[in-house]
Amino acid sequence: MNTFEYDANPGRVIFGSGSIKKLPDEIRRLRLSSPLLLTTPRQANLIDLLESVLSSSSPSIKPAGTFTKATMHTPYHITQEALSYVQTITADCIVSIGGGSTTGLGKAISFNTGLPHISIPTTYAGSEMTATLGETKDGHKTTRHDRKILPGTVIYDVDLTTSLPASISATSGANAIAHAVEALYAPNGNPITNLLALEGIKALAESLPQIIQDPTSQPAREEAQYGAWLCGTSLGTVRMSLHHKLCHVLGGSFNLPHSETHTIVLPHALSYNAPAIPGAMAKLASVLPGSDGDAIKGLNALLEKLRVKRGLKEFGMREEDVQSAAEIAAENPYANPRQVDLELVKELIRRCWAGEEARADF
């Protein structure tokens, strides 16, 4: 076995149906009492749920305020508005509830203020398990990595995911799989991360098609949430590569939707790196149903089952943007197992734009 280093991220996880009811106990455990409640405009009704849980279980815990403007790709101006709001209240912690947009803003506020962060995910985004913060400013998305960014507690309550539409569940789950796939060939990967990644991919690859068939299936929802947790954890311990660089560029510079972009890029980025990662390809194929030993075939088959859109043009990207996207991605690339070649990356993005099925011919 090769030598390696493994840094486990600190954090506490509360998992299970109805676990949101444990939120008051968790706030008390931290010796806190005045949370800032955080979500997006579309999920503002979840604030009512949090307030109900807090008021019925612990009259000593009273929200210091609410902020419902969390936005995709964590725009800098929204973060600044939230930080200004925090200065007007007496919050001693943050409770974020929602998907990656809410988690991202919660991480930004926590990092800038030092307030403890309790994250309650309602999708399979996985951001709650990484110490990475991606922020968008002036059309560019940048990332920073710091242990202080990581939420201190994550509450996974499957009941909060049962109303997630099947189509959003599919792309959110594929986004989680993308985290783990990239972790398999990360430059600082290790056997422990690989175990987490493969188990997470397996759980999602088996549960997501079931959710498409029956979005109310509790066992499938639990398996998907478990898988997303592991996928996020695996990415949270390694460095990101070409896949995430492309998605940061496409999301931050062209305002493409987060999970849908990850879903589309996933098999093509893997195809690009395939010649340099035969071991990771074999491991991935072993946990993808119907792969027949071919990881790219397995991913294509899974995305077909999930009935997801495969072309960035379906989300508003213009063909003339392909060149500039490739240039931005190649200008300052993340560490990657295969050299980042501008013309090949341009072809990769073109295939993503056109919605072509991934093929191993890079």
Side-chain angles (χ1 to χ4, degrees):
M1 182 178 291
N2 295 330
T3 60
F4 64 90
E5 296 180 2
Y6 174 66
D7 291 321
N9 283 329
R12 172 175 163 82
V13 170
I14 301 172
F15 190 99
S17 175
S19 56
I20 193 173
K21 296 178 183 177
K22 297 180 180 179
L23 175 61
D25 291 338
E26 187 62 17
I27 294 175
R28 279 194 295 267
R29 186 188 71 85
L30 295 169
R31 299 181 180 179
L32 303 170
S33 62
S34 302
L36 164 64
L37 308 183
L38 191 67
T39 192
T40 65
R42 290 178 55 188
Q43 294 180 297
N45 62 302
L46 292 176
I47 296 297
D48 296 335
L49 173 62
L50 291 180
E51 290 177 337
S52 175
V53 168
L54 293 175
S55 64
S56 63
S57 301
S58 180
S60 63
I61 300 175
K62 296 182 179 180
T66 64
F67 190 85
T68 60
K69 296 183 181 181
T71 305
M72 183 174 63
H73 304 307
T74 318
Y76 178 78
H77 73 278
I78 294 293
T79 298
Q80 293 307 304
E81 182 178 346
L83 290 173
S84 295
Y85 175 66
V86 170
Q87 293 179 353
T88 69
I89 60 177
T90 56
D92 57 13
C93 62
I94 303 160
V95 176
S96 66
I97 184 167
S101 299
T102 305
T103 304
L105 181 56
K107 290 160 79 170
I109 297 172
S110 176
F111 180 73
N112 282 281
T113 64
L115 293 175
H117 180 193
I118 300 172
S119 174
I120 308 175
T122 61
T123 68
Y124 309 128
S127 173
E128 68 281 354
M129 281 294 141
T130 73
T132 300
L133 174 61
E135 297 176 290
T136 305
K137 183 179 181 182
D138 300 327
H140 291 276
K141 190 168 186 177
T142 59
T143 61
R144 67 175 83 183
H145 185 85
D146 193 300
R147 287 288 181 87
K148 296 176 183 178
I149 294 171
L150 190 72
T153 302
V154 178
I155 298 177
Y156 287 110
D157 188 335
V158 68
D159 300 343
L160 299 176
T161 69
T162 54
S163 62
L164 193 66
S167 60
I168 298 178
S169 299
T171 57
S172 182
N175 179 19
I177 290 174
H179 298 334
V181 167
E182 191 151 85
L184 288 175
Y185 58 76
N188 60 334
N190 58 76
I192 309 305
T193 295
N194 286 349
L195 287 173
L196 293 171
L198 291 170
E199 174 69 4
I201 293 168
K202 182 176 183 292
L204 283 160
E206 293 176 351
S207 60
L208 290 176
Q210 297 177 43
I211 291 173
I212 296 300
Q213 296 297 322
D214 179 11
T216 65
S217 171
Q218 187 89 349
R221 290 288 186 180
E222 289 178 344
E223 188 75 2
Q225 194 169 52
Y226 164 73
W229 168 21
L230 297 184
C231 288
T233 301
S234 63
L235 182 67
T237 61
V238 298
R239 293 161 61 189
M240 294 178 288
S241 298
L242 178 62
H243 172 97
H244 279 80
K245 177 64 176 185
L246 290 172
C247 292
H248 290 161
V249 169
L250 293 166
S253 298
F254 301 94
N255 200 36
L256 294 173
H258 183 81
S259 65
E260 291 86 348
T261 300
H262 276 272
T263 300
I264 292 169
V265 170
L266 170 59
H268 296 287
L270 182 68
S271 175
Y272 181 97
N273 281 321
I277 52 168
M281 295 295 287
K283 292 174 183 177
L284 177 58
S286 72
V287 295
L288 289 174
S291 67
D292 298 326
D294 183 337
I296 296 172
K297 177 182 177 182
L299 279 179
N300 281 329
L302 175 61
L303 295 181
E304 183 69 24
K305 291 178 184 176
L306 299 185
R307 306 170 191 169
V308 294
K309 294 180 180 179
R310 301 292 296 271
L312 295 175
K313 63 182 180 181
E314 299 185 64
F315 297 99
M317 184 178 185
R318 303 174 302 171
E319 186 173 11
E320 53 265 37
D321 291 331
V322 170
Q323 176 69 35
S324 58
E327 291 174 354
I328 297 171
E331 182 180 17
N332 185 26
Y334 298 167
N336 196 61
R338 183 181 180 186
Q339 184 176 353
V340 176
D341 178 271
L342 175 59
E343 289 304 313
L344 290 181
V345 169
K346 179 182 175 182
E347 172 59 14
L348 189 166
I349 297 174
R350 187 203 64 78
R351 294 180 186 185
C352 293
W353 171 82
E356 297 177 5
E357 188 170 88
R359 54 188 187 274
D361 63 350
F362 276 110

